[in-house]
Amino acid sequence: MKKNLLISTALFLTLCSAHAYSVPVMIVQLESSAQGIKVLKEEIRDINYKQSRTEEKVKKSGKFPKARSGGWVAQIIRADGTIESEQAIEDPRQQHGEFSYDGATANQRVEAQVERGVFDIQIPISSEEVTLRIVDRQSHTSTPPPHLPNGKTSTTASAGVNDQDIVKGEFKLKGNKQ
Amino acid sequence: MKLIKFLIATLLLISAIAHSAAPQLIDIEVNGPKDKRINILFLGDGYTAGQKDLFLADVAVFKAALMDSPWGSYTNYFNSYALFAESQQSGATYEDGVTVKNTAYECSYWVANIERLLACNSALTFAAKNEYLPETDMVMVVVNSNLYGGSGGSISVANRTSPEIVAHEMGHTFVHLADEYDYPGAASAEAPNATMNIARDTLTWRHWVESSTPLATPETQEYADVVGAFEGAAYQPVGWYRPTLTSRMQVNGAPLGPVNSEQFVLSMYDAISPIDAVQPAEGTVIWQPGSNLAVTPLLPDNANLAIEWSVNGVITTETGTIFTGSNLPLNGTATVTAKVIDKTALVRKDPNGLLFDTASWVVQTRGSSSSRSSFNSSSRPSSASASNSSSSAVVPTQCNWWGQIVPLCVNVSSGWGYENNASCVAVSTCNSQPYPYGVIGGASSSAANSSLLSSRSSSSSNSVRSSIAPIFVEAENYDTMRGVQTQPTSDTGGGLNVGWMDAGDWISYAGAKSINIPATGTYKVEFRVASQNGGGSFTFQKTGGNPIYASVKVPTTGAWQNWTTVTSTINLTAGLQGFGIAVKTGGFNLNWYRITKL
């Protein structure tokens, strides 16, 4: 009985502690068109922000976590030019349909570029000015890497993929918390 | 007469606009705080004021399509919301090929002259998302039309009878999977489910492939239910391979398959931790009669979860959500760590350690006359109360502000301040950041803390000498690492081992994973290792590399899961400290190590 009471109390306290944390985040809304990319709106709001756990862990190991190999990427760049983080984004102007309605095996992909496409990026507020860079990462796959003795495809061994970033837009953001 | 008609029409229009209700965010299924759940937002287009119930019914169907296997086993990990915004007209633009409709998000068929390409005004959809639920992880627009259509991209769109479209699109936008079908001319990129490399020992998804399965795998019924390497993926009919004969990334409405399911689970754990809450908050705890520590796991519906409690790296017998004090020293300081692990069979390879998370407390016990089992009531001292109390709690003075160390304010209760000629941040503001940011507890360099640590070390060495238990450390219980990965081990006790170790890789057991050496003296360190070919070597050292306590050579054990124990004798000084393993020559696995006082 005493144990049950103890457990109930602990669970109650535990649940009480499960509140959300709001943090100041800059929400940047951008628009891509034939004329390039422009910032539509920039606002700072307190939201229940989640950071990528992979990014957090990979950064701790001293490696830089690339968002993806091939495709559009948003890079958050510190004042000293180092890349703080990357987020994979979809080409905002590309619309695609993948299947037709006439059967499960009909993969009839269609693609179209629309006139303009809007997208947004969320950036946790830091103590310094940041730059937002939008790149189109072109991936070039070379021959498969040689395998290592213990079966690992290491960072170097897996570098059969070479990426080339084409900068689509770069924006300095206020971003500093006073 | 015309003027009257015009005025009536105008009044009706104004009335319609005036009565157009503001969008309404509706909780469909809310299981927890938004920063600890994956938040799904359904938008509806072409639903008029009287069609709210139809919209909610359609949302239920879409949610069910998205939450099938494997996410169906993790429903508690998700929050679902529907934003009902009235459209002035039902349906979608060009649904009949000619009519433009006035709808909330201006969704339209015939985009780029393709009938089934159904897309919406992205400025409107993003504005709605940011205004009503900026914490959204996945956005889907359900269009009130029975005509087949949809589109992918940053926001998925589908007509109300085609939920399988968004289920496929989430495989791209949230999980970053490739398409597994042909589309000549399109660019291809390596992905968790698409590769050019099918060498058996380096194939991306080799951990799912049986040795008897041929690579490339024939597209025959014999291999319809196995994982292999089937030619045709990432839009290329030849030279690129997919894991299964069919999957949802290839065929609409098909099951995901094991490889894609694994990525769905890992993507979920990329966003949220398996630990929902802890009590008290991580930091320094003064252990008193009746004290306990608690974790609340984000229990999957199938509850395939394990909890380990360790004291100074030694795993205790406690496996519940509440730690009652096993193995705590009678008098002194110990690091207590709770490790919550999802042991799901859906994931076989977790290179970034996403399936587990840990919470740690520095626990100070006082008064050897008290019985450990009768301790009670724990609390995390605030900086103000701790500094004024007579207890010996460590006073945090610094804040990890998004990776930058800044002083904590003494006189400011919220926001930022300026004290002692420097900017400082209030405790409450600092602790508003998500883990791992926040007040740095127990690691302060203040004079008070230094003296406390000194006294702790000296008292520990005297009082616990007669009962020093071996310190057992699971290799995967590191705080940081470089280059290694974990995998299930077949060694006694199961769990995980660390593998894929190459020269230059390292593993660190510092910070929250620091180890408390109870007394200065000579210790035996046993390393549990396996190596198919031998020749591996590593050093066991203090974090940072100096001093090196031992250089260890790993013998051949004949297989990656044949285990042996190698031993070194080293000298250590007492105190809480970080250790590291630096790989000099790769080619071995490490399951655990044990430090025993001689």
Side-chain angles (χ1 to χ4, degrees), chain B residues 270-557:
Chain B
D270 176 59
I272 55 174
S273 159
I275 297 178
D276 201 18
V278 298
Q279 177 66 32
E282 290 177 90
T284 300
V285 171
I286 299 174
W287 198 263
Q288 293 171 344
S291 285
N292 57 57
L293 307 172
V295 291
T296 304
L298 257 175
L299 276 171
D301 296 351
N302 60 9
N304 195 5
L305 212 67
I307 301 174
E308 290 175 357
W309 289 94
S310 61
V311 176
N312 291 334
V314 180
I315 295 176
T316 72
T317 56
E318 299 201 37
T319 57
T321 56
I322 295 172
F323 174 76
T324 57
S326 298
N327 294 20
L328 282 179
L330 292 176
N331 195 356
T333 300
T335 299
V336 178
T337 302
K339 183 175 182 180
V340 176
I341 314 152
D342 183 352
K343 297 199 166 183
T344 177
L346 292 166
V347 176
R348 290 187 180 178
K349 190 176 175 184
D350 178 20
N352 292 313
L354 297 174
L355 261 62
F356 69 87
D357 204 356
T358 58
S360 292
W361 298 262
V362 175
V363 174
Q364 296 176 7
T365 54
R366 293 178 298 155
S368 56
S369 60
S370 300
S371 164
R372 217 173 301 158
S373 60
S374 65
F375 287 154
N376 202 348
S377 179
S378 62
S379 63
R380 181 184 182 184
S382 69
S383 62
S385 63
S387 61
N388 294 328
S389 75
S390 58
S391 76
S392 56
V394 175
V395 184
T397 60
Q398 293 178 306
C399 171
N400 181 345
W401 183 254
W402 299 110
Q404 182 184 358
I405 305 303
V406 297
L408 281 175
C409 299
V410 174
N411 299 316
V412 177
S413 58
S414 67
W416 287 73
Y418 192 78
E419 297 175 356
N420 299 321
N421 299 318
S423 292
C424 61
V425 62
V427 171
S428 61
T429 302
C430 181
N431 273 336
S432 69
Q433 302 170 94
Y435 177 84
Y437 307 111
V439 170
I440 301 173
S444 166
S445 59
S446 69
N449 291 342
S450 299
S451 61
L452 175 69
L453 291 169
S454 301
S455 64
R456 180 194 310 155
S457 301
S458 57
S459 64
S460 298
S461 62
N462 294 326
S463 62
V464 299
R465 184 181 179 85
S466 60
S467 59
I468 294 174
I471 299 168
F472 182 86
V473 181
E474 291 283 2
E476 73 274 16
N477 199 21
Y478 48 75
D479 69 318
T480 61
M481 59 84 180
R482 176 181 172 178
V484 304
Q485 296 182 24
T486 60
Q487 63 181 166
T489 180
S490 58
D491 194 12
T492 306
L496 302 173
N497 68 253
V498 173
W500 289 275
M501 292 199 267
D502 295 321
D505 290 350
W506 49 261
I507 318 169
S508 167
Y509 305 85
K513 302 298 170 61
S514 294
I515 296 168
N516 190 33
I517 299 300
T520 299
T522 304
Y523 287 79
K524 174 179 72 173
V525 191
E526 299 159 279
F527 301 95
R528 188 69 168 170
V529 292
S531 176
Q532 181 164 289
N533 304 311
S537 64
F538 63 91
T539 55
F540 183 64
Q541 58 198 37
K542 190 167 186 171
T543 300
N546 186 26
I548 292 174
Y549 299 118
S551 295
V552 181
K553 290 186 176 176
V554 180
T556 303
T557 61

Side-chain angles (χ1 to χ4, degrees), chain B residues 200 209-215 222-223:
Chain B
R200 188 173 294 276
V209 179
E210 298 293 335
S211 58
S212 57
T213 303
L215 301 176
E222 183 184 354
Y223 299 104

